[in-house]
Amino acid sequence: MSETPRFQMVSGDQEAPVCEDGVCAVPGTEAQPLTEPASIPPTM
Amino acid sequence: MSSALKVDIWSDIACPWCYVGKRRFEEGVRRFAESHPDRTVEVEYHSFELAPDTPVDFEGTEVDFLADHKGLPVEQVRAMLEQMTEVAASVGLDFDYAALRHTNTLKAHQLLHLARVRGVQHEMKERLLRAYFTEGRHVGHHEQLADLASEVGLDRGEVLEALTQETYLDEVRADIAQARAYGINGVPFFVIDQRFGVSGAQDPAVFADALGQAAAAQEVQA
């Protein structure tokens, strides 16, 4: 469903943290594996 | 004469990186303004629901939500929240996960659209984030939202009517659809002048650089 962004992405040298699917991990920490949404079963 | 740079930001209330990213973005704007004193930056917040399946009256803590509702290990969740609290403190934010009231944010997003129409969206956004992450306030109930809205100058009666009638539900849905069309899966997400995208709570320097690139592109086109 999603389309390619129509804009040029600007990013820094380090991974920028985001929240996805209700989970907000801290990059570079032991909680990082929690960012894998595929491991989270759908709840709908 | 230079036109304003428009920044569209997709974010959620229940999103710690959105709050941290807001502070980093604001610092980026401050740095950009120092080097571009003739330019102005206009910001509009857009709705994004990180966990639309969250009940309004979730019974439990943030640890419970992430552990039980999302199936994550409790110890890993605790560590994650501790780290997040430390990161928040680094930008001057005082997170209190023990007091946090996890809830569905659909109504809060509708309130943000009303606030945009009334010209106080930035104030409302900041008030909702502080209420949620620092004060342990419930941001899913009409009455509590109306209380917070009145603090930023919105009419309490108008707020209650808009929330009850779901006056701005279509606007929230449109924001989410736009995010999907852009391929946005995580927030915060920043779109500058419809040309440049920045994903995540980047360093202020990245935001300042992106704004500078957008300003330069605007000048080339002019």
Side-chain angles (χ1 to χ4, degrees), chain B residues 20 33 41 59 67 77 85 88-89 127 144 149 157 173 177 180 196 205-206 214:
Chain B
V20 171
V41 177
E59 296 295 334
V77 169
T85 302
R127 187 68 194 92
Q144 285 88 336
R173 298 292 189 216
R180 196 172 295 125
F196 297 90
V206 175

Side-chain angles (χ1 to χ4, degrees), chain B residues 124-143:
Chain B
M124 193 72 255
K125 180 76 171 180
E126 182 69 25
R127 187 68 194 92
L128 285 167
L129 287 166
R130 181 157 58 88
Y132 186 78
F133 282 107
T134 297
E135 300 173 352
R137 302 276 291 271
H138 198 300
V139 299
H141 290 156
H142 292 190
E143 291 291 332

Side-chain angles (χ1 to χ4, degrees), chain B residues 18-197:
Chain B
C18 295
Y19 204 1
V20 171
K22 184 174 186 293
R23 284 291 181 275
R24 292 178 177 174
F25 171 74
E26 289 163 350
E27 172 60 18
V29 171
R30 191 191 65 75
R31 294 182 191 180
F32 170 75
E34 280 184 352
S35 56
H36 298 74
D38 59 328
R39 305 304 298 255
T40 57
V41 177
E42 292 180 1
V43 176
E44 180 176 344
Y45 286 96
H46 297 273
S47 305
F48 191 95
E49 283 189 284
L50 277 168
D53 56 327
T54 305
V56 171
D57 290 306
F58 178 79
E59 296 295 334
T61 65
E62 183 70 1
V63 173
D64 295 332
F65 175 78
L66 290 168
D68 299 340
H69 206 63
K70 293 293 179 183
L72 304 177
V74 170
E75 287 311 310
Q76 211 167 13
V77 169
R78 290 189 196 285
M80 189 172 73
L81 298 186
E82 285 178 14
Q83 291 151 2
M84 193 71 242
T85 302
E86 290 175 10
V87 172
S90 73
V91 294
L93 298 174
D94 183 18
F95 280 14
D96 187 353
Y97 276 111
L100 188 148
R101 306 282 302 278
H102 204 91
T103 185
N104 189 291
T105 58
L106 185 60
K107 292 291 184 178
H109 281 299
Q110 294 176 55
L111 173 57
L112 281 168
H113 276 277
L114 169 61
R116 174 182 53 79
V117 171
R118 297 293 173 233
V120 290
Q121 190 191 44
H122 294 187
E123 293 85 348
M124 193 72 255
K125 180 76 171 180
E126 182 69 25
R127 187 68 194 92
L128 285 167
L129 287 166
R130 181 157 58 88
Y132 186 78
F133 282 107
T134 297
E135 300 173 352
R137 302 276 291 271
H138 198 300
V139 299
H141 290 156
H142 292 190
E143 291 291 332
Q144 285 88 336
L145 287 170
D147 288 344
L148 294 168
S150 64
E151 289 183 29
V152 301
L154 289 174
D155 180 82
R156 203 170 192 286
E158 182 185 31
V159 169
L160 288 171
E161 182 178 358
L163 294 177
T164 302
Q165 301 294 324
E166 303 213 297
T167 309
Y168 295 95
L169 180 59
D170 286 347
E171 279 83 350
V172 174
R173 298 292 189 216
D175 275 353
I176 294 169
Q178 181 67 74
R180 196 172 295 125
Y182 278 157
I184 298 172
N185 295 314
V187 286
F189 195 94
F190 307 76
V191 177
I192 303 172
D193 211 26
Q194 292 293 308
R195 298 180 188 207
F196 297 90

